[in-house]
Short mmCIF file of all heavy atoms in Angstrom, two decimals:
data_model
loop_
_atom_site.label_atom_id
_atom_site.label_comp_id
_atom_site.label_asym_id
_atom_site.label_seq_id
_atom_site.Cartn_x
_atom_site.Cartn_y
_atom_site.Cartn_z
N ARG A 1 -6.32 -2.74 -15.27
CA ARG A 1 -6.92 -1.62 -16.00
C ARG A 1 -5.88 -0.55 -16.37
O ARG A 1 -6.24 0.48 -16.92
CB ARG A 1 -8.04 -1.01 -15.14
CG ARG A 1 -9.12 -2.03 -14.72
CD ARG A 1 -10.44 -1.37 -14.39
NE ARG A 1 -10.40 -0.50 -13.26
CZ ARG A 1 -10.82 -0.85 -12.02
NH1 ARG A 1 -11.25 -2.07 -11.77
NH2 ARG A 1 -10.76 0.03 -11.05
N GLU A 2 -4.62 -0.83 -16.03
CA GLU A 2 -3.57 0.15 -16.31
C GLU A 2 -2.45 -0.41 -17.19
O GLU A 2 -1.98 0.30 -18.07
CB GLU A 2 -2.93 0.62 -14.97
CG GLU A 2 -3.89 1.36 -14.06
CD GLU A 2 -3.18 1.85 -12.80
OE1 GLU A 2 -1.95 2.12 -12.89
OE2 GLU A 2 -3.82 2.00 -11.77
N TRP A 3 -2.01 -1.63 -16.94
CA TRP A 3 -0.82 -2.11 -17.62
C TRP A 3 -1.08 -2.53 -19.05
O TRP A 3 -2.22 -2.62 -19.50
CB TRP A 3 -0.13 -3.21 -16.83
CG TRP A 3 -0.96 -4.47 -16.57
CD1 TRP A 3 -1.98 -4.98 -17.29
CD2 TRP A 3 -0.71 -5.41 -15.52
NE1 TRP A 3 -2.40 -6.17 -16.76
CE2 TRP A 3 -1.65 -6.45 -15.66
CE3 TRP A 3 0.20 -5.50 -14.47
CZ2 TRP A 3 -1.70 -7.56 -14.79
CZ3 TRP A 3 0.14 -6.59 -13.60
CH2 TRP A 3 -0.80 -7.61 -13.76
N SER A 4 0.00 -2.82 -19.77
CA SER A 4 -0.09 -3.18 -21.18
C SER A 4 -0.29 -4.68 -21.37
O SER A 4 -0.48 -5.16 -22.51
CB SER A 4 1.17 -2.72 -21.93
OG SER A 4 2.33 -3.33 -21.34
N ILE A 5 -0.19 -5.44 -20.31
CA ILE A 5 -0.40 -6.89 -20.38
C ILE A 5 -1.82 -7.19 -20.76
O ILE A 5 -2.77 -6.63 -20.18
CB ILE A 5 -0.05 -7.57 -19.03
CG1 ILE A 5 1.43 -7.35 -18.72
CG2 ILE A 5 -0.38 -9.05 -19.03
CD1 ILE A 5 1.85 -7.78 -17.33
N LYS A 6 -2.03 -8.06 -21.73
CA LYS A 6 -3.38 -8.29 -22.26
C LYS A 6 -3.88 -9.72 -22.06
O LYS A 6 -5.04 -10.01 -22.38
CB LYS A 6 -3.42 -7.95 -23.76
CG LYS A 6 -3.18 -6.46 -24.06
CD LYS A 6 -3.28 -6.19 -25.53
CE LYS A 6 -3.19 -4.70 -25.83
NZ LYS A 6 -1.88 -4.11 -25.44
N SER A 7 -3.04 -10.65 -21.56
CA SER A 7 -3.48 -12.01 -21.44
C SER A 7 -2.70 -12.73 -20.34
O SER A 7 -1.64 -12.22 -19.89
CB SER A 7 -3.29 -12.77 -22.76
OG SER A 7 -1.91 -12.93 -23.03
N ARG A 8 -3.15 -13.90 -19.95
CA ARG A 8 -2.43 -14.69 -18.97
C ARG A 8 -1.11 -15.19 -19.57
O ARG A 8 -0.14 -15.39 -18.83
CB ARG A 8 -3.30 -15.86 -18.48
CG ARG A 8 -4.47 -15.38 -17.61
CD ARG A 8 -5.41 -16.52 -17.18
NE ARG A 8 -4.78 -17.49 -16.30
CZ ARG A 8 -4.63 -17.30 -14.99
NH1 ARG A 8 -5.05 -16.20 -14.40
NH2 ARG A 8 -4.10 -18.25 -14.23
N GLU A 9 -1.08 -15.42 -20.88
CA GLU A 9 0.17 -15.79 -21.54
C GLU A 9 1.20 -14.69 -21.34
O GLU A 9 2.37 -14.97 -21.06
CB GLU A 9 -0.07 -16.03 -23.02
CG GLU A 9 -0.79 -17.32 -23.36
CD GLU A 9 0.10 -18.53 -23.19
OE1 GLU A 9 1.27 -18.44 -23.58
OE2 GLU A 9 -0.37 -19.54 -22.64
N GLU A 10 0.80 -13.45 -21.53
CA GLU A 10 1.74 -12.32 -21.35
C GLU A 10 2.14 -12.17 -19.88
O GLU A 10 3.25 -11.73 -19.59
CB GLU A 10 1.13 -11.04 -21.91
CG GLU A 10 1.02 -11.04 -23.42
CD GLU A 10 0.53 -9.70 -23.94
OE1 GLU A 10 0.49 -8.71 -23.19
OE2 GLU A 10 0.20 -9.63 -25.14
N GLU A 11 1.24 -12.51 -18.98
CA GLU A 11 1.57 -12.51 -17.55
C GLU A 11 2.70 -13.51 -17.26
O GLU A 11 3.65 -13.25 -16.51
CB GLU A 11 0.37 -12.85 -16.71
CG GLU A 11 -0.64 -11.74 -16.53
CD GLU A 11 -1.70 -12.09 -15.54
OE1 GLU A 11 -2.52 -12.98 -15.81
OE2 GLU A 11 -1.72 -11.49 -14.43
N ILE A 12 2.58 -14.70 -17.86
CA ILE A 12 3.65 -15.69 -17.69
C ILE A 12 4.95 -15.22 -18.25
O ILE A 12 6.04 -15.39 -17.65
CB ILE A 12 3.22 -17.03 -18.34
CG1 ILE A 12 1.99 -17.62 -17.60
CG2 ILE A 12 4.36 -18.04 -18.33
CD1 ILE A 12 1.43 -18.87 -18.22
N ASP A 13 4.89 -14.56 -19.41
CA ASP A 13 6.11 -13.94 -19.99
C ASP A 13 6.77 -12.95 -19.02
O ASP A 13 7.98 -12.97 -18.84
CB ASP A 13 5.78 -13.22 -21.29
CG ASP A 13 5.38 -14.16 -22.43
OD1 ASP A 13 5.70 -15.34 -22.35
OD2 ASP A 13 4.68 -13.71 -23.37
N TYR A 14 5.94 -12.10 -18.42
CA TYR A 14 6.45 -11.10 -17.45
C TYR A 14 7.08 -11.78 -16.27
O TYR A 14 8.16 -11.41 -15.79
CB TYR A 14 5.30 -10.23 -17.01
CG TYR A 14 5.69 -9.07 -16.10
CD1 TYR A 14 5.91 -7.78 -16.60
CD2 TYR A 14 5.86 -9.25 -14.70
CE1 TYR A 14 6.30 -6.75 -15.75
CE2 TYR A 14 6.22 -8.22 -13.89
CZ TYR A 14 6.44 -6.98 -14.39
OH TYR A 14 6.83 -5.95 -13.56
N ALA A 15 6.40 -12.86 -15.75
CA ALA A 15 6.92 -13.59 -14.59
C ALA A 15 8.27 -14.21 -14.91
O ALA A 15 9.22 -14.14 -14.10
CB ALA A 15 5.93 -14.65 -14.17
N GLU A 16 8.37 -14.83 -16.08
CA GLU A 16 9.63 -15.45 -16.46
C GLU A 16 10.75 -14.43 -16.64
O GLU A 16 11.88 -14.69 -16.24
CB GLU A 16 9.43 -16.26 -17.76
CG GLU A 16 8.53 -17.49 -17.58
CD GLU A 16 8.21 -18.22 -18.87
OE1 GLU A 16 8.49 -17.62 -19.94
OE2 GLU A 16 7.68 -19.33 -18.83
N ALA A 17 10.39 -13.28 -17.18
CA ALA A 17 11.41 -12.24 -17.36
C ALA A 17 11.93 -11.65 -16.05
O ALA A 17 13.04 -11.16 -15.96
CB ALA A 17 10.83 -11.12 -18.24
N HIS A 18 11.05 -11.74 -15.01
CA HIS A 18 11.43 -11.20 -13.70
C HIS A 18 11.81 -12.32 -12.71
O HIS A 18 11.89 -12.07 -11.48
CB HIS A 18 10.29 -10.36 -13.15
CG HIS A 18 10.06 -9.05 -13.84
ND1 HIS A 18 9.53 -8.97 -15.09
CD2 HIS A 18 10.40 -7.77 -13.49
CE1 HIS A 18 9.48 -7.71 -15.47
NE2 HIS A 18 10.02 -6.95 -14.51
N ASN A 19 11.97 -13.55 -13.23
CA ASN A 19 12.35 -14.69 -12.39
C ASN A 19 11.42 -14.95 -11.22
O ASN A 19 11.84 -15.24 -10.07
CB ASN A 19 13.80 -14.50 -11.85
CG ASN A 19 14.81 -14.45 -12.98
OD1 ASN A 19 14.79 -15.27 -13.88
ND2 ASN A 19 15.71 -13.46 -12.88
N ILE A 20 10.12 -14.80 -11.52
CA ILE A 20 9.10 -15.03 -10.47
C ILE A 20 8.60 -16.47 -10.62
O ILE A 20 8.11 -16.86 -11.66
CB ILE A 20 7.92 -14.06 -10.65
CG1 ILE A 20 8.38 -12.64 -10.51
CG2 ILE A 20 6.83 -14.39 -9.65
CD1 ILE A 20 7.34 -11.59 -10.90
N PRO A 21 8.78 -17.31 -9.56
CA PRO A 21 8.35 -18.71 -9.66
C PRO A 21 6.81 -18.85 -9.72
O PRO A 21 6.09 -18.12 -9.03
CB PRO A 21 8.91 -19.32 -8.37
CG PRO A 21 9.00 -18.17 -7.42
CD PRO A 21 9.35 -16.98 -8.25
N LEU A 22 6.32 -19.76 -10.55
CA LEU A 22 4.90 -19.99 -10.68
C LEU A 22 4.61 -21.47 -10.48
O LEU A 22 5.43 -22.34 -10.81
CB LEU A 22 4.42 -19.58 -12.07
CG LEU A 22 4.59 -18.10 -12.48
CD1 LEU A 22 4.19 -17.91 -13.94
CD2 LEU A 22 3.77 -17.20 -11.56
N LYS A 23 3.41 -21.76 -9.94
CA LYS A 23 2.99 -23.14 -9.73
C LYS A 23 2.26 -23.73 -10.96
O LYS A 23 1.91 -24.90 -10.96
CB LYS A 23 2.08 -23.25 -8.51
CG LYS A 23 2.76 -23.00 -7.19
CD LYS A 23 1.80 -23.22 -6.03
CE LYS A 23 2.50 -22.98 -4.70
NZ LYS A 23 1.58 -23.21 -3.53
N ILE A 24 2.04 -22.88 -11.97
CA ILE A 24 1.35 -23.31 -13.16
C ILE A 24 2.28 -23.28 -14.35
O ILE A 24 3.38 -22.75 -14.29
CB ILE A 24 0.12 -22.44 -13.45
CG1 ILE A 24 0.55 -20.99 -13.69
CG2 ILE A 24 -0.89 -22.53 -12.35
CD1 ILE A 24 -0.53 -20.09 -14.19
N ASN A 25 1.83 -23.86 -15.47
CA ASN A 25 2.53 -23.71 -16.73
C ASN A 25 1.53 -23.34 -17.81
O ASN A 25 0.34 -23.20 -17.53
CB ASN A 25 3.30 -25.00 -17.10
CG ASN A 25 2.38 -26.20 -17.18
OD1 ASN A 25 1.33 -26.17 -17.84
ND2 ASN A 25 2.75 -27.29 -16.50
N ARG A 26 1.97 -23.19 -19.01
CA ARG A 26 1.09 -22.70 -20.09
C ARG A 26 -0.03 -23.72 -20.43
O ARG A 26 -1.03 -23.35 -20.97
CB ARG A 26 1.90 -22.37 -21.33
CG ARG A 26 2.89 -21.23 -21.08
CD ARG A 26 3.72 -20.94 -22.31
NE ARG A 26 4.84 -20.04 -21.95
CZ ARG A 26 4.75 -18.71 -21.92
NH1 ARG A 26 3.63 -18.13 -22.26
NH2 ARG A 26 5.81 -17.99 -21.60
N GLU A 27 0.18 -25.00 -20.10
CA GLU A 27 -0.81 -26.02 -20.40
C GLU A 27 -1.88 -26.18 -19.27
O GLU A 27 -2.94 -26.68 -19.53
CB GLU A 27 -0.12 -27.38 -20.65
CG GLU A 27 0.63 -27.46 -21.98
CD GLU A 27 1.91 -26.60 -21.98
OE1 GLU A 27 2.61 -26.58 -20.98
OE2 GLU A 27 2.13 -25.92 -22.99
N THR A 28 -1.50 -25.78 -18.07
CA THR A 28 -2.44 -25.95 -16.96
C THR A 28 -2.91 -24.58 -16.41
O THR A 28 -3.30 -24.42 -15.26
CB THR A 28 -1.78 -26.71 -15.79
OG1 THR A 28 -0.61 -25.97 -15.34
CG2 THR A 28 -1.32 -28.09 -16.24
N ASN A 29 -2.91 -23.63 -17.33
CA ASN A 29 -3.17 -22.24 -16.94
C ASN A 29 -4.64 -21.91 -16.85
O ASN A 29 -5.12 -20.92 -17.37
CB ASN A 29 -2.47 -21.32 -18.00
CG ASN A 29 -2.57 -19.85 -17.64
OD1 ASN A 29 -2.71 -19.50 -16.49
ND2 ASN A 29 -2.51 -19.00 -18.63
N TYR A 30 -5.41 -22.76 -16.17
CA TYR A 30 -6.82 -22.42 -15.89
C TYR A 30 -6.85 -21.30 -14.85
O TYR A 30 -5.98 -21.20 -13.97
CB TYR A 30 -7.56 -23.65 -15.33
CG TYR A 30 -7.87 -24.74 -16.31
CD1 TYR A 30 -7.14 -25.94 -16.27
CD2 TYR A 30 -8.83 -24.58 -17.31
CE1 TYR A 30 -7.41 -26.97 -17.18
CE2 TYR A 30 -9.10 -25.58 -18.21
CZ TYR A 30 -8.41 -26.77 -18.14
OH TYR A 30 -8.64 -27.77 -19.05
N SER A 31 -7.85 -20.45 -14.98
CA SER A 31 -8.08 -19.46 -13.95
C SER A 31 -8.96 -20.14 -12.88
O SER A 31 -10.08 -20.55 -13.14
CB SER A 31 -8.84 -18.25 -14.54
OG SER A 31 -9.12 -17.31 -13.52
N LYS A 32 -8.42 -20.24 -11.67
CA LYS A 32 -9.10 -20.97 -10.60
C LYS A 32 -9.30 -20.05 -9.38
O LYS A 32 -8.49 -19.17 -9.09
CB LYS A 32 -8.34 -22.20 -10.17
CG LYS A 32 -8.19 -23.26 -11.25
CD LYS A 32 -7.50 -24.50 -10.72
CE LYS A 32 -7.34 -25.58 -11.79
NZ LYS A 32 -6.73 -26.80 -11.22
N ASP A 33 -10.38 -20.30 -8.66
CA ASP A 33 -10.58 -19.68 -7.35
C ASP A 33 -10.98 -20.75 -6.38
O ASP A 33 -11.99 -21.47 -6.63
CB ASP A 33 -11.65 -18.59 -7.44
CG ASP A 33 -11.89 -17.98 -6.04
OD1 ASP A 33 -11.01 -17.26 -5.55
OD2 ASP A 33 -12.94 -18.26 -5.45
N LYS A 34 -10.25 -20.88 -5.29
CA LYS A 34 -10.50 -21.97 -4.35
C LYS A 34 -10.69 -21.43 -2.95
O LYS A 34 -10.00 -20.53 -2.50
CB LYS A 34 -9.31 -22.95 -4.37
CG LYS A 34 -9.51 -24.19 -3.51
CD LYS A 34 -8.31 -25.15 -3.66
CE LYS A 34 -8.55 -26.44 -2.90
NZ LYS A 34 -7.37 -27.36 -3.01
N ASN A 35 -11.69 -21.99 -2.27
CA ASN A 35 -11.82 -21.77 -0.83
C ASN A 35 -12.49 -23.01 -0.24
O ASN A 35 -12.71 -24.03 -0.97
CB ASN A 35 -12.62 -20.49 -0.52
CG ASN A 35 -14.00 -20.49 -1.16
OD1 ASN A 35 -14.80 -21.43 -1.01
ND2 ASN A 35 -14.32 -19.42 -1.92
N ILE A 36 -12.80 -23.01 1.04
CA ILE A 36 -13.35 -24.20 1.68
C ILE A 36 -14.72 -24.56 1.11
O ILE A 36 -15.13 -25.72 1.16
CB ILE A 36 -13.44 -23.99 3.20
CG1 ILE A 36 -13.74 -25.32 3.88
CG2 ILE A 36 -14.51 -22.93 3.54
CD1 ILE A 36 -13.68 -25.26 5.39
N TRP A 37 -15.41 -23.60 0.52
CA TRP A 37 -16.76 -23.81 -0.01
C TRP A 37 -16.76 -24.35 -1.42
O TRP A 37 -17.64 -25.16 -1.77
CB TRP A 37 -17.53 -22.51 0.07
CG TRP A 37 -18.97 -22.53 -0.38
CD1 TRP A 37 -19.49 -21.99 -1.52
CD2 TRP A 37 -20.05 -23.11 0.34
NE1 TRP A 37 -20.84 -22.23 -1.53
CE2 TRP A 37 -21.24 -22.88 -0.42
CE3 TRP A 37 -20.18 -23.81 1.53
CZ2 TRP A 37 -22.49 -23.32 -0.02
CZ3 TRP A 37 -21.43 -24.24 1.94
CH2 TRP A 37 -22.55 -24.00 1.17
N HIS A 38 -15.80 -23.94 -2.25
CA HIS A 38 -15.86 -24.35 -3.66
C HIS A 38 -14.50 -24.20 -4.36
O HIS A 38 -13.53 -23.71 -3.81
CB HIS A 38 -16.93 -23.51 -4.41
CG HIS A 38 -16.36 -22.26 -5.04
ND1 HIS A 38 -16.89 -21.71 -6.20
CD2 HIS A 38 -15.33 -21.44 -4.71
CE1 HIS A 38 -16.24 -20.64 -6.53
NE2 HIS A 38 -15.28 -20.44 -5.68
N LEU A 39 -14.50 -24.66 -5.63
CA LEU A 39 -13.37 -24.43 -6.54
C LEU A 39 -13.97 -24.14 -7.90
O LEU A 39 -14.82 -24.88 -8.40
CB LEU A 39 -12.47 -25.63 -6.61
CG LEU A 39 -11.34 -25.60 -7.65
CD1 LEU A 39 -10.36 -24.47 -7.36
CD2 LEU A 39 -10.61 -26.94 -7.73
N SER A 40 -13.52 -23.02 -8.51
CA SER A 40 -13.99 -22.68 -9.85
C SER A 40 -12.89 -22.90 -10.86
O SER A 40 -11.71 -22.74 -10.56
CB SER A 40 -14.46 -21.21 -9.89
OG SER A 40 -13.37 -20.35 -9.69
N HIS A 41 -13.29 -23.26 -12.10
CA HIS A 41 -12.37 -23.44 -13.21
C HIS A 41 -12.86 -22.58 -14.39
O HIS A 41 -14.02 -22.69 -14.77
CB HIS A 41 -12.32 -24.89 -13.68
CG HIS A 41 -12.09 -25.91 -12.61
ND1 HIS A 41 -10.87 -26.55 -12.48
CD2 HIS A 41 -12.88 -26.40 -11.64
CE1 HIS A 41 -10.96 -27.41 -11.46
NE2 HIS A 41 -12.18 -27.35 -10.95
#
C-alpha cells in the first residue's frame, strides 16, 4: 500500500536488481498459499 511496485512482474525485476534469489520464474509465477490443510493457486 506504499511502494511504487504494481505487479508481480515488477517484484521480480526488483528482486533481480537486488540479487535476491527466487524459487519461481516469470512462467511459473502463480500466487500460491500452502499449508498442511490446503494449497491455493
Side-chain angles (χ1 to χ4, degrees):
R1 304 203 295 262
E2 296 183 28
W3 60 25
S4 59
I5 297 172
K6 294 181 175 62
S7 68
R8 290 176 66 82
E9 286 286 319
E10 290 186 11
E11 284 188 291
I12 294 175
D13 292 339
Y14 184 97
E16 290 175 349
H18 289 75
N19 297 313
I20 299 170
L22 299 174
K23 291 184 178 181
I24 61 171
N25 58 49
R26 296 178 192 273
E27 287 70 43
T28 61
N29 185 25
Y30 288 107
S31 177
K32 297 184 180 183
D33 178 70
K34 186 177 184 181
N35 57 53
I36 192 172
W37 183 251
H38 92 149
L39 173 63
S40 66
H41 308 254

